[in-house]
Amino acid sequence: MAKWGEGDPRWIVEERADATNVNNWHWTERDVTSWSEERLKALLSEVRVEGSEGVCQVTDVTKLEGEACINNRKGKLFYFFEWVVRAAWTGTSKSGLKYRGTVDVANLSDENDPDDLDISVALCADHPPTPLVQLMKSKGIAEVRRALGLYMTQLKTEFSQGMILPTANESKAPPTQAQSRPQVQSKTLISPAPSSGAPCSVGKTSTRNIQLKETFYTSPDELYATFISQDFVQIFTRSAAQVDARSGGKFQLLDGSVTGEFVHLVPDKGLEMKWRFRSWPKEHFATVILLFEDRGGETFLSVDIQGVPVGFEDSTREGWNRFYLQAIKQTFGY
């Protein structure tokens, strides 16, 4: 267990056995990409608008690139999807002339509400101008937006059935390797960073220190696991990651923009790691220390970053706030 020394700002960690699936850390994922493809095509094929100019109908979905999944984490469901969509439409004027065009949606994702979707309409280049384009812009876009909103609703209602797993008092699913807590070696020492001030020098690189603080509406064990689980890191960064959560284990995230190595791990209490951003001077690493403080239903997190190269302070502070702290809050509802 970890002890906080009386008047001594250091973590002294005694030998602690590995524990798995603490506090019922259930995690399941359901791939809904195929279902989404079929549903989006069906909903968009129903788009039809009529006006004084004539009639327009979506006839085909010619481009549908992306993926979708549903994740269950401790009885909470999280929906992740991102699509680039192009549909073909055919218009028939009052005089019977036929026209063809396209509808493009570039930002269909869990980050956007239906009203925020960027939807554009165009007429095929080999067709002369027609009032039917305005019909599609005035009424067709609204119908496309309605269809995509229906997809979002159905994804969260019809297809998420059975995703809630048993609670801690019910039968437990076996934990995955990513959910297991790493072993912590005895007599590990984690020291907080000194306060920032005048630049210091590491080798030939002048550096500064950064301190960040944030409160999360969750328990220390949940927040700690969020930082060391490869599954969770991939979810809140929305990109592939490699996380080997043990002393000496490497990590890589944000498409290789961030790399490093775990130095010490104190379950539910603290982390120390070597950390660098790709644009930093070659082979230069900062020391990052995370300390988790239980405040009864809330967790106070302090982040001490020692050795940030001079000139990279603002981008490092912004990156940690955006891609770690705020991303975790927004993704998991903390």
Side-chain angles (χ1 to χ4, degrees):
M1 59 181 295
K3 296 180 179 179
W4 184 258
E6 185 70 26
D8 184 4
R10 297 179 301 176
W11 287 103
I12 302 174
V13 183
E14 298 178 349
E15 187 172 359
R16 170 174 175 158
D18 178 38
T20 58
N21 203 25
V22 176
N23 288 336
N24 193 27
W25 268 104
H26 290 304
W27 176 269
T28 57
E29 178 174 302
R30 177 176 292 177
D31 186 346
V32 292
T33 300
S34 296
W35 176 87
S36 294
E37 291 173 344
E38 294 178 2
R39 199 71 197 112
L40 284 167
K41 291 177 181 179
L43 289 169
L44 288 171
S45 68
E46 297 174 357
V47 172
R48 182 181 184 276
V49 292
E50 186 173 355
S52 59
E53 305 90 342
V55 177
C56 294
Q57 169 81 48
V58 171
T59 56
D60 188 22
V61 176
T62 58
K63 181 179 181 180
L64 189 55
E65 298 177 353
E67 59 184 354
C69 67
I70 305 174
N71 291 285
N72 169 40
R73 182 174 185 243
K74 292 199 73 177
K76 296 180 181 179
L77 295 181
F78 301 94
Y79 306 87
F80 303 97
F81 56 90
E82 188 170 6
W83 296 99
V84 175
V85 183
R86 167 168 285 187
W89 61 270
T90 298
T92 304
S93 69
K94 289 295 186 180
S95 61
L97 294 177
K98 299 287 186 180
Y99 297 85
R100 292 181 293 108
T102 57
V103 179
D104 285 283
V105 186
N107 63 338
L108 177 58
S109 76
D110 54 274
E111 294 183 339
N112 297 309
D113 293 327
D115 291 341
D116 299 326
L117 297 178
D118 183 12
I119 304 174
S120 60
V121 169
L123 185 68
C124 289
D126 57 347
H127 288 268
T130 172
L132 291 173
V133 175
Q134 186 57 40
L135 174 63
M136 279 297 295
K137 289 182 177 180
S138 61
K139 293 185 178 181
I141 287 179
E143 284 301 299
V144 170
R145 198 181 303 278
R146 182 195 62 78
L148 298 179
L150 188 56
Y151 158 72
M152 297 181 190
T153 299
Q154 293 178 351
L155 176 65
K156 296 178 180 181
T157 55
E158 297 179 11
F159 207 83
S160 60
Q161 299 299 314
M163 285 290 292
I164 301 295
L165 294 182
T167 63
N169 295 325
E170 299 171 357
S171 60
K172 297 185 177 182
T176 64
Q177 183 178 1
Q179 294 167 323
S180 299
R181 300 301 183 88
Q183 284 192 334
V184 181
Q185 299 176 358
S186 62
K187 303 303 180 183
T188 302
L189 184 68
I190 298 181
S191 301
S195 59
S196 59
C200 57
S201 180
V202 177
K204 297 181 180 180
T205 303
S206 294
T207 64
R208 290 185 182 273
N209 301 324
I210 296 174
Q211 285 78 46
L212 302 172
K213 302 180 186 299
E214 190 65 72
T215 298
F216 294 83
Y217 297 101
T218 187
S219 59
D221 64 305
E222 287 186 334
L223 188 58
Y224 174 85
T226 301
F227 279 96
I228 67 166
S229 163
Q230 180 168 302
D231 285 341
F232 297 165
V233 171
Q234 290 183 145
I235 291 298
F236 75 74
T237 61
R238 301 177 184 273
S239 62
Q242 298 176 9
V243 181
D244 183 6
R246 59 185 176 85
S247 180
K250 309 287 187 180
F251 59 83
Q252 176 176 299
L253 54 149
L254 295 172
D255 297 321
S257 295
V258 170
T259 55
E261 176 182 321
F262 291 103
V263 179
H264 300 305
L265 300 95
V266 185
D268 312 338
K269 299 295 184 181
L271 293 172
E272 179 179 341
M273 52 190 166
K274 293 167 59 179
W275 188 97
R276 66 171 272 109
F277 196 73
R278 182 164 48 196
S279 60
W280 285 9
K282 187 177 180 180
E283 298 182 356
H284 177 84
F285 286 84
T287 295
V288 177
I289 297 173
L290 309 181
L291 298 179
F292 305 86
E293 180 183 339
D294 190 351
R295 293 189 173 178
E298 299 177 355
T299 299
F300 179 76
L301 173 68
S302 65
V303 182
D304 294 315
I305 310 174
Q306 305 176 26
V308 177
V310 169
F312 291 90
E313 304 98 309
D314 290 343
S315 60
T316 301
R317 182 180 291 105
E318 180 184 355
W320 266 86
N321 275 317
R322 177 181 177 185
F323 295 110
Y324 281 97
L325 307 183
Q326 297 308 313
I328 289 172
K329 283 192 166 189
Q330 293 171 4
T331 300
F332 299 118
Y334 294 161

